[in-house]
Amino acid sequence: MIAYHGHILFTKTSESFEVLPHGYVVVDDRGVVAGVYSQHEWQARAEIEVVELGNRLLIPGMNDMHVHAPQLANMGIAMDMPLLPWLEQYTFPEESKFADIAYAKHMYKRFVKELVKHGTMRAAIFATIHPEATECLADQCNEAGIGAYIGLVGMDRNCPEMLRNTVDEVVAGTERLSAHVAHYPLVKAIVTPRFVPSCSSDMLRAMGAQAAKEELMIQSHLCETPNEIRWVKELEPTAASYSDVYHSYGLMNDRTLMAHCVYPSERDIELLRQTGAMVVHCPSSNCNLGSGIAPVRQLLEKGIDVALGTDIAAGHDLSILHTMHYAIQMSKLVYAESGREVASLTLPEVFYMATKGGGRMFGQVGSFELGYDFDALVIDDAEMINGQACSEEELYLRLERFIYVGNDRQIVKRFCKGKEIIVED
Amino acid sequence: MIAYHGHILFTKTSESFEVLPHGYVVVDDRGVVAGVYSQHEWQARAEIEVVELGNRLLIPGMNDMHVHAPQLANMGIAMDMPLLPWLEQYTFPEESKFADIAYAKHMYKRFVKELVKHGTMRAAIFATIHPEATECLADQCNEAGIGAYIGLVGMDRNCPEMLRNTVDEVVAGTERLSAHVAHYPLVKAIVTPRFVPSCSSDMLRAMGAQAAKEELMIQSHLCETPNEIRWVKELEPTAASYSDVYHSYGLMNDRTLMAHCVYPSERDIELLRQTGAMVVHCPSSNCNLGSGIAPVRQLLEKGIDVALGTDIAAGHDLSILHTMHYAIQMSKLVYAESGREVASLTLPEVFYMATKGGGRMFGQVGSFELGYDFDALVIDDAEMINGQACSEEELYLRLERFIYVGNDRQIVKRFCKGKEIIVED
């Protein structure tokens, strides 16, 4: 047993932070939280080694619930291009390079390193259509020690020939991926149809059946832009909504992650609610592509779970910490631009999304409550205190300043399920 | 004479980048650009020492044209509070601390260090109502070697008693400040009425007269929110527009910087155009406060000059580099949210605003053209190339990735008017 002694902050609910100045989190040998104590409750025990974190902050690890690993090379470039030329000139050519396993290994190693550097301990990841490269991504996540859902992408229509697979290939590839990761403790396969416009009915049906049979997680995109929604309507004219297409093939349930939902219809919202599917809000991506601002407040009020995703390379940054402040900022602009009275998102709300909210999809992840996996980050913000002493009441403000102004430099230790994750130079 | 040999990027116009792979910028002994050469045009000369920058990028220094120095301590905290309680609980109490000269010296030293760290070589800065502290800020800028307009703030109504000065105090204080900085090569006083709601007619009239008499620069706030505009209308019912109030007191001319302009009326736009006043766009501030998105495209089309400002602590970040990508991102949301067909801002456009656009207010600043002050940053992005080699045609993409994903770590050298500016640890 080991105890970490520092300033502890986490969110049990999205209402407010739990703040334990000079508190203790006890972690058992399985890497699971065995207790959390305030300074006054704590009683030293011989069998518990104490790791002193001093004036540093201890927070849960970040969960990036929507990210495209093969687009690392395109992160932060050609951001002012329109979507379609950008896909043709950057996204598709880059993804096609992952047919080369040596290239895949090189880039995925770099991707996982960058992910870890920014404090992400669990991620739901899109790979490409290439089974070997996708297994290589799973290997890299496992070697690094982080948790991940790895998706072999299915796409068999409306996409370049070089990035097309068949129904049989994606089903067999996902089965092979599942077998490949069977002994990896924190890495699993996730059924990953790219989105309705690039997947035939046969493909969606087969992927839905596979997800049901093996109780696999599912991830895709939903209602990102008005043009995309019109396109889905043309392709699937009998469906009552975009999400109904996924639903009719068994792809909407409480193991489903749907990225974006910037323009959900009433029917989409109802179906998300009924099925328990989780929305992954990707605010930096939505603003880089000019997609718009997702109605997160409305989704939350309907009882829909919302997590956060960086969505690189449409998102420009692999930091879920930065994604939090983008989520707040975008929520404020909804009000300013629409004139509607919408309460903007609060810091505990977005922190909850980034930790316990998304973490639910990995089990008991994203909190320091009893029984939760000890995923954690140690934050050394000494250089950021701006010349002012901070009282214990101000720990919440220190966390906030780190989220708005900080970066990976302040993350000095990382843990996933109790094990320290080292970033190699 | 000295020549810097590296990958040179700058903007003569907002249309496109000048890109000189392995180019040379020659700087004379006054710190002024004496020539810029492509690799092929260059001919070595004995009297010119060459500084090798290798594969690094050389770009102009950043100009932050709207920033509140005394709000450093509030940067990145309490960002989800509504504006009025935030001003009362954070902004005003912090500004009042600058009556204490020791505190001012400590915090302004830290502010200037942070500014320099993020690559800002020139800034237009709001201080507080305290003359001694404001002179101390001027001293710190001069010692660091950066260029600055330093504003003693005038405010005599609708503000807390402790932060109020009189007409005589602000006029005498600015005069004293001007005398204090008379021998500083790059630091000057700027006439700084906070904004119409906190300045009486007498104060605005006296400050306008002072600006005219001594040909001083002027800075203030304009049309940030609808509530503020309604308030100005109540306070000054006979003025044709918000900017007409400033104009009637001699505060709108080609030496004027007006921050925000999120909601300018047709009349405001016309007056900005006629007088040659410059708008300072502060996109991160506007989204943190939920103010809205300034109509930058429309202002540019009317021929109004636009520069960029971080506006801390409403802005959360002292980086003009980050402010550039916020400007692009916000411009994309205008279209998404309004449905209007507005071309989003391009990277050369925002880069121009951050360099030559704002730089105009300091003389020939913000470009590597002949006769311009050599303000420059050396960018080492080797760690950011994401495992890929970059061809010379891709230098523009390297700059873009640095702007979107990078931070002060990649800025390895800084120059203001030819002199290297050192960031002390």
Side-chain angles (χ1 to χ4, degrees):
Chain A
M1 300 257 269
I2 194 162
Y4 295 92
H5 180 212
H7 299 311
I8 295 161
L9 298 107
F10 62 104
T11 44
K12 276 187 194 171
T13 73
S14 62
E15 299 287 309
S16 63
F17 283 97
E18 308 295 313
V19 183
L20 301 167
H22 303 289
Y24 294 79
V25 181
V26 179
V27 181
D28 70 19
D29 297 339
R30 298 167 305 153
V32 171
V33 175
V36 59
Y37 303 92
S38 73
Q39 189 175 13
H40 305 295
E41 293 162 343
W42 174 252
Q43 293 188 314
R45 281 149 54 191
E47 73 275 21
I48 305 181
E49 178 197 348
V50 176
V51 175
E52 292 295 346
L53 303 174
N55 193 32
R56 295 167 174 180
L57 310 179
L58 182 69
I59 63 173
M62 297 295 117
N63 302 311
D64 186 345
M65 303 309 285
H66 185 71
V67 59
H68 293 266
Q71 290 181 27
L72 180 71
N74 291 332
M75 191 167 68
I77 63 174
M79 303 302 284
D80 57 5
M81 276 179 86
L83 180 60
L84 289 181
W86 188 71
L87 286 172
E88 279 160 27
Q89 286 177 48
Y90 289 89
T91 311
F92 294 146
E94 183 60 25
E95 292 206 1
S96 71
K97 291 184 192 169
F98 286 75
D100 172 358
I101 189 74
Y103 184 77
K105 194 164 176 180
H106 173 71
M107 290 305 288
Y108 282 153
K109 192 178 171 74
R110 177 114 193 178
F111 169 79
V112 172
K113 180 183 162 179
E114 290 292 321
L115 199 68
V116 167
K117 222 162 82 175
H118 288 89
T120 294
M121 295 293 103
R122 314 259 178 168
I125 312 178
F126 278 60
T128 62
I129 60 159
H130 310 99
E132 274 197 301
T134 303
E135 288 166 20
C136 164
L137 175 60
D139 297 345
Q140 295 293 337
C141 290
N142 182 58
E143 269 177 47
I146 61 169
Y149 291 121
I150 307 286
L152 178 74
V153 176
M155 44 203 292
D156 66 349
R157 64 173 176 179
N158 298 313
C159 60
E161 195 57 49
M162 62 184 175
L163 283 178
R164 201 171 286 220
N165 52 11
T166 65
V167 176
D168 291 347
E169 281 166 352
V170 71
V171 170
T174 298
E175 203 172 307
R176 207 181 103 169
L177 177 64
S178 273
H180 184 85
V181 302
H183 299 292
Y184 290 171
L186 302 177
V187 177
K188 285 190 167 49
I190 181 169
V191 166
T192 306
R194 192 168 194 122
F195 70 151
V196 168
S198 58
C199 298
S200 66
S201 305
D202 285 348
M203 182 169 269
L204 293 172
R205 187 179 302 109
M207 293 183 90
Q210 183 173 35
K213 189 174 146 215
E214 303 172 36
E215 288 206 352
L216 294 175
M217 297 278 303
I218 297 155
Q219 63 183 351
S220 196
H221 299 86
L222 181 65
C223 300
E224 185 171 0
T225 70
N227 284 341
E228 172 205 11
I229 294 167
R230 276 190 289 272
W231 195 13
V232 169
K233 188 78 202 159
E234 282 166 32
L235 291 166
E236 307 286 345
T238 62
S241 75
Y242 190 162
S243 55
D244 271 284
V245 183
Y246 293 121
H247 189 238
S248 64
Y249 298 117
L251 291 160
M252 287 283 282
N253 58 51
D254 61 0
R255 301 187 314 276
T256 300
L257 293 166
M258 281 293 164
H260 301 307
C261 297
V262 180
Y263 301 97
S265 65
E266 286 299 319
R267 169 69 188 165
D268 290 311
I269 291 174
E270 181 53 23
L271 207 50
L272 286 163
R273 196 192 60 72
Q274 276 176 21
T275 59
M278 184 179 278
V279 168
V280 187
H281 178 40
C282 305
S284 63
S285 165
N286 298 155
C287 78
N288 285 324
L289 293 180
S291 304
I293 303 171
V296 178
R297 172 66 61 217
Q298 194 189 347
L299 296 171
L300 293 174
E301 281 171 355
K302 297 282 180 177
I304 294 165
D305 285 351
V306 181
L308 296 180
T310 60
D311 192 27
I312 70 155
H316 60 280
D317 184 327
L318 266 178
S319 169
I320 283 291
L321 292 149
H322 293 165
T323 305
M324 280 190 226
H325 72 64
Y326 270 92
I328 295 177
Q329 291 170 327
M330 296 303 99
S331 77
K332 289 181 173 172
L333 289 178
V334 174
Y335 172 59
E337 294 299 303
S338 70
R340 281 175 281 140
E341 281 284 352
V342 180
S344 56
L345 297 174
T346 65
L347 195 72
E349 284 180 317
V350 297
F351 193 87
Y352 181 88
M353 291 177 198
T355 55
K356 192 175 173 181
R360 193 233 320 144
M361 288 297 194
F362 294 96
Q364 291 204 297
V365 167
S367 177
F368 293 145
E369 291 160 77
L370 196 69
Y372 272 70
D373 286 0
F374 183 68
D375 286 19
L377 306 176
V378 177
I379 310 303
D380 186 344
D381 65 342
E383 270 303 300
M384 299 185 64
I385 302 177
N386 294 349
Q388 293 210 305
C390 261
S391 70
E392 287 175 5
E393 295 73 45
E394 292 176 319
L395 287 174
Y396 157 81
L397 298 179
R398 280 175 56 188
L399 176 60
E400 184 179 19
R401 174 180 285 142
F402 163 65
I403 288 169
Y404 272 91
V405 191
N407 55 47
D408 59 283
R409 264 179 297 194
Q410 285 85 36
I411 309 176
V412 294
K413 274 182 191 292
R414 300 152 177 88
F415 298 90
C416 184
K417 203 170 183 182
K419 288 214 183 93
E420 186 168 355
I421 308 295
I422 305 294
V423 183
E424 284 165 34
D425 275 333
Chain B
M1 300 256 269
I2 194 162
Y4 296 93
H5 179 211
H7 299 312
I8 294 161
L9 297 106
F10 62 103
T11 44
K12 276 186 193 170
T13 74
S14 62
E15 299 286 310
S16 62
F17 282 97
E18 308 295 312
V19 184
L20 301 167
H22 303 289
Y24 295 78
V25 181
V26 178
V27 181
D28 71 18
D29 298 339
R30 298 167 305 153
V32 170
V33 175
V36 59
Y37 304 92
S38 73
Q39 189 175 13
H40 304 296
E41 292 162 342
W42 174 252
Q43 294 188 313
R45 280 150 53 191
E47 73 276 21
I48 305 181
E49 178 197 350
V50 176
V51 175
E52 292 295 344
L53 303 173
N55 193 33
R56 295 166 173 179
L57 310 179
L58 182 69
I59 63 173
M62 297 294 118
N63 302 311
D64 187 345
M65 303 308 285
H66 185 70
V67 60
H68 293 266
Q71 291 181 26
L72 180 71
N74 291 331
M75 192 168 67
I77 64 173
M79 303 301 284
D80 57 6
M81 276 180 85
L83 181 59
L84 288 181
W86 188 71
L87 286 171
E88 279 159 26
Q89 286 178 48
Y90 289 89
T91 311
F92 293 147
E94 184 61 26
E95 292 205 0
S96 71
K97 292 183 190 169
F98 286 75
D100 172 356
I101 189 75
Y103 183 77
K105 195 165 175 178
H106 173 71
M107 291 304 289
Y108 281 154
K109 192 179 173 72
R110 178 115 194 178
F111 169 79
V112 172
K113 180 183 163 179
E114 290 292 322
L115 200 67
V116 167
K117 222 162 83 174
H118 288 90
T120 294
M121 296 292 102
R122 313 260 179 167
I125 312 178
F126 277 61
T128 61
I129 61 161
H130 310 98
E132 275 196 300
T134 303
E135 288 167 20
C136 164
L137 175 59
D139 297 345
Q140 295 292 338
C141 291
N142 182 59
E143 269 178 46
I146 62 169
Y149 290 121
I150 307 287
L152 178 74
V153 176
M155 44 202 292
D156 67 349
R157 64 173 177 179
N158 298 314
C159 61
E161 195 57 49
M162 62 185 176
L163 283 178
R164 201 170 287 217
N165 51 12
T166 65
V167 175
D168 290 348
E169 282 167 352
V170 71
V171 170
T174 298
E175 202 172 308
R176 208 182 102 169
L177 178 65
S178 272
H180 184 84
V181 302
H183 299 292
Y184 289 172
L186 302 177
V187 176
K188 286 192 166 46
I190 181 169
V191 167
T192 305
R194 191 166 197 124
F195 71 151
V196 168
S198 59
C199 299
S200 67
S201 306
D202 285 349
M203 181 169 268
L204 293 172
R205 187 178 303 110
M207 293 184 90
Q210 183 173 34
K213 191 176 146 212
E214 303 172 35
E215 289 205 350
L216 294 176
M217 297 279 303
I218 298 154
Q219 63 182 351
S220 196
H221 298 87
L222 182 65
C223 300
E224 185 172 359
T225 70
N227 283 341
E228 171 205 13
I229 295 167
R230 276 190 289 272
W231 195 15
V232 169
K233 188 77 202 158
E234 282 166 32
L235 291 167
E236 307 286 346
T238 61
S241 75
Y242 191 161
S243 54
D244 271 284
V245 184
Y246 293 121
H247 189 237
S248 64
Y249 298 118
L251 291 160
M252 289 282 283
N253 59 50
D254 61 1
R255 300 187 315 276
T256 300
L257 293 165
M258 282 292 165
H260 302 305
C261 297
V262 181
Y263 301 97
S265 65
E266 285 298 319
R267 169 70 188 163
D268 290 311
I269 290 174
E270 181 52 25
L271 207 49
L272 286 162
R273 197 192 60 72
Q274 276 177 20
T275 59
M278 184 180 277
V279 168
V280 187
H281 178 40
C282 305
S284 63
S285 165
N286 298 155
C287 75
N288 285 323
L289 293 179
S291 304
I293 303 170
V296 178
R297 173 65 60 215
Q298 195 189 346
L299 296 171
L300 292 173
E301 280 170 355
K302 297 281 181 178
I304 294 165
D305 285 350
V306 180
L308 296 180
T310 59
D311 192 28
I312 70 155
H316 60 280
D317 184 327
L318 265 177
S319 168
I320 283 292
L321 292 150
H322 293 164
T323 305
M324 280 190 227
H325 71 66
Y326 270 93
I328 295 177
Q329 290 169 328
M330 297 303 99
S331 77
K332 289 182 174 174
L333 289 178
V334 174
Y335 173 60
E337 294 298 302
S338 70
R340 281 175 281 139
E341 282 285 354
V342 180
S344 56
L345 297 174
T346 66
L347 195 71
E349 284 180 318
V350 297
F351 194 87
Y352 181 88
M353 292 177 198
T355 55
K356 192 174 173 182
R360 196 241 308 152
M361 288 297 196
F362 294 96
Q364 291 204 297
V365 167
S367 177
F368 292 145
E369 291 159 77
L370 196 70
Y372 271 70
D373 286 359
F374 183 69
D375 286 18
L377 307 176
V378 177
I379 310 303
D380 187 344
D381 64 342
E383 271 304 300
M384 299 184 63
I385 301 177
N386 293 349
Q388 293 209 309
C390 261
S391 70
E392 286 175 5
E393 295 73 46
E394 291 175 320
L395 287 174
Y396 157 80
L397 298 179
R398 280 175 55 190
L399 176 61
E400 185 179 19
R401 173 179 284 142
F402 163 65
I403 288 169
Y404 272 91
V405 191
N407 55 47
D408 59 283
R409 266 181 296 195
Q410 285 85 36
I411 309 176
V412 293
K413 275 182 190 292
R414 300 153 178 86
F415 299 90
C416 184
K417 203 170 183 184
K419 289 215 183 91
E420 186 167 356
I421 308 295
I422 304 295
V423 183
E424 283 164 36
D425 274 333

